[in-house]
Amino acid sequence: MSEQPQHTRVMLVDDTPARAAMLEQALTDCGFQVICRMASAQGLMKQVAEHQPDVVIVDIESPDRDMLEHMTVLNQHLPKPVIMFAEQGDSNTIDRAIRAGVSAYVVDGLNPERVRSIVDVAVARFREFQALRNELQQTRTRLADRQVIDKAKALLIQHRQMDEDEAYHAMRKLAMDRSQKLVDVANDIVSVLGLLAPKSQRTRDP
């Protein structure tokens, strides 16, 4: 049996005190630690930053625009696995919630017998999404770095009468001498030699 719930710190967001108390008890019975209970998502990101929960659980009748905006901001700046229990589950609402960063959207409330599996699936889905997002960001960064390096090589070829290999090795040597990354050296070269390009050419550069 997974021991994850015994170590999982939960932040609970529920605007109905009686329902929140029942949900907190169900989570505690399953071995989760409810470290913070909020009546609304107002100030959610600040509270998440302060308490650092492993999972955020939202129990709500139906997520409104403000709630989804808070979820979006949280997902952009301090992403966490978010599970939303709701009474209404039409496809448009679910789609908006998922796009706002909700990892799991569960209709018809919390079944204590399913809570462990729901959290496990939500956390696994969140980690998979984060891995894909990080991979995409790394790919974009590598592409941007490559474009800068290629531009620096072109400027060295143009202004220092080097061929492509000579330009690349010159940048590599400069990077090693300075203990810098190749892309940082390339940025410096673009900053300096780019100013020497004809004005008409500089305006065409992206």
Side-chain angles (χ1 to χ4, degrees):
M1 182 180 296
S2 170
E3 296 184 358
Q4 178 187 340
Q6 297 176 359
H7 306 286
T8 301
R9 293 156 47 87
V10 176
M11 175 177 287
L12 177 58
V13 182
D14 195 326
D15 60 359
T16 305
R19 184 177 62 194
M22 291 176 60
L23 178 52
E24 181 173 352
Q25 186 61 54
L27 290 165
T28 302
D29 290 344
C30 289
F32 295 92
Q33 180 185 5
V34 179
I35 58 171
C36 179
R37 204 165 92 182
M38 300 177 61
S40 76
Q42 191 69 36
L44 178 63
M45 196 169 74
K46 179 181 177 181
Q47 292 297 318
V48 168
E50 179 180 342
H51 294 281
Q52 290 298 321
D54 300 310
V55 178
V56 177
I57 294 181
V58 180
D59 197 6
I60 194 169
E61 193 168 318
S62 179
D64 57 18
R65 181 176 177 179
D66 286 345
M67 171 65 75
L68 295 179
E69 284 181 357
H70 285 300
M71 295 294 104
T72 300
V73 171
L74 180 66
N75 186 51
Q76 289 174 346
H77 300 283
L78 200 60
K80 296 285 181 181
V82 176
I83 301 169
M84 186 170 285
F85 294 99
E87 299 297 326
Q88 298 183 17
D90 62 276
S91 58
N92 288 335
T93 300
I94 294 174
D95 181 62
R96 289 197 301 270
I98 297 300
R99 283 190 282 111
V102 173
S103 306
Y105 191 102
V106 183
V107 183
D108 294 332
L110 172 67
N111 181 344
E113 296 179 356
R114 296 177 54 211
V115 66
R116 291 193 180 193
S117 60
I118 288 172
V119 172
D120 284 343
V121 169
V123 171
R125 183 178 298 168
F126 169 80
R127 288 174 177 168
E128 181 181 359
F129 177 77
Q130 288 301 112
L132 289 173
R133 186 158 76 172
N134 291 339
E135 184 178 346
L136 178 59
Q137 183 58 47
Q138 289 170 5
T139 300
R140 287 174 174 168
T141 300
R142 286 195 297 268
L143 178 60
D145 289 353
R146 174 52 55 190
Q147 290 175 337
V148 172
I149 291 169
D150 286 345
K151 186 172 184 179
K153 282 195 300 184
L155 287 170
L156 287 174
I157 291 170
Q158 177 183 354
H159 293 283
R160 296 293 184 265
Q161 288 73 51
M162 297 178 175
D163 62 30
E164 187 171 353
D165 286 341
E166 289 172 337
Y168 180 75
H169 287 300
M171 286 194 296
R172 282 288 301 272
K173 184 178 185 306
L174 193 54
M176 291 176 63
D177 291 344
R178 293 181 176 180
S179 298
Q180 287 183 316
K181 293 181 180 178
L182 183 61
V183 67
D184 293 334
V185 169
N187 271 313
D188 289 343
I189 292 171
V190 169
S191 298
V192 174
L193 295 185
L195 297 175
L196 303 178
K199 184 176 180 181
S200 59
Q201 182 177 338
R202 291 204 306 269
T203 24
R204 286 198 301 268
D205 285 342

